[in-house]
Amino acid sequence: VRRALAAEPAFIHSLLLSGNRSIEIGDVAAAARRFRRARATDANFPEAELNLGMISLLDGDYTAGWLGFAARWRCASHHGFKPTPGARIWDGRVDRSARLLIRAEPEQALGDTIQFARFVAAAAARVGELMIECAPTLRELIGKIPGIARLIDVGDAPPPAQWSCGLMDLGGIFAPTLSSL
């Protein structure tokens, strides 16, 4: 990575790898500088935006963090994220006549699902019908959350919905700042 950066200082993939390496060794400030350089080099490089968002979340800047974290939907490295066909991305609006599908994304482990499930009942209160996608091993636990009309196993074809949202996107909707968490 160092040789690639020396040869081409603005090579965005080298900047990304170098930033990731900086995080691994605990130099978050250097990582942020590299990710900002990558973003400045190519504004259409969502991986830099995602990594800066994750650093902001670590720093407690939830406003910038959640905004940057949403870039994962556009990242080549997160190719498993697929919008729900025919559904618009839900932004938290109240629409009591609509069906919302909250999706567990491929990045999530069981702990992530449990952590972000705290927001599911609040989402259910804003829509007519709420469906949630989750791992089969969590069906019993997640199924106890008030307001869920239907559980869908991860990997199953998503049912029709007017709105769709990633489970981890609920953090940006319901806890946009550290104090609101």
Side-chain angles (χ1 to χ4, degrees):
V1 172
R2 286 186 184 143
R3 285 189 297 229
L5 278 174
E8 182 57 57
F11 185 58
I12 57 175
H13 294 287
S14 293
L15 289 166
L16 183 68
L17 290 172
S18 179
N20 288 340
R21 178 65 183 135
S22 294
I23 287 174
E24 288 171 6
I25 62 171
D27 193 349
V28 177
R33 285 192 303 274
R34 288 181 177 95
F35 298 146
R36 281 193 296 273
R37 252 177 74 199
R39 183 179 61 190
T41 302
D42 183 352
N44 293 318
F45 189 58
E47 284 80 357
E49 201 64 39
L50 169 62
N51 288 338
L52 285 167
M54 293 180 67
I55 288 172
S56 293
L57 287 170
L58 286 171
D59 286 342
D61 181 357
Y62 281 21
T63 303
W66 290 123
L67 186 62
F69 187 68
R72 74 193 186 287
W73 292 99
R74 297 176 289 137
C75 290
S77 60
H78 288 67
H79 58 82
F81 295 133
K82 300 279 188 246
T84 303
R88 294 175 286 167
I89 302 298
W90 189 61
D91 58 6
R93 74 182 64 198
V94 174
D95 187 349
R96 298 208 196 294
S97 66
R99 176 185 275 183
L100 168 64
L101 173 60
I102 297 176
R103 309 220 30 206
E105 297 102 27
E107 72 191 338
Q108 289 182 263
L110 300 179
D112 294 324
T113 299
I114 293 167
Q115 176 79 328
F116 283 84
R118 71 176 73 198
F119 302 116
V120 170
R126 294 185 180 189
V127 296
E129 181 181 351
L130 184 126
M131 303 172 294
I132 186 163
E133 176 186 70
C134 70
T137 56
L138 291 179
R139 285 181 72 87
E140 185 178 345
L141 177 66
I142 299 300
K144 292 179 182 179
I145 298 171
I148 297 174
R150 181 174 170 192
L151 290 170
I152 295 104
D153 288 339
V154 171
D156 285 355
Q162 288 81 26
W163 298 100
S164 180
C165 180
L167 182 62
M168 293 182 76
D169 290 320
L170 295 179
I173 293 169
F174 294 106
T177 64
L178 185 57
S179 62
S180 63
L181 181 61

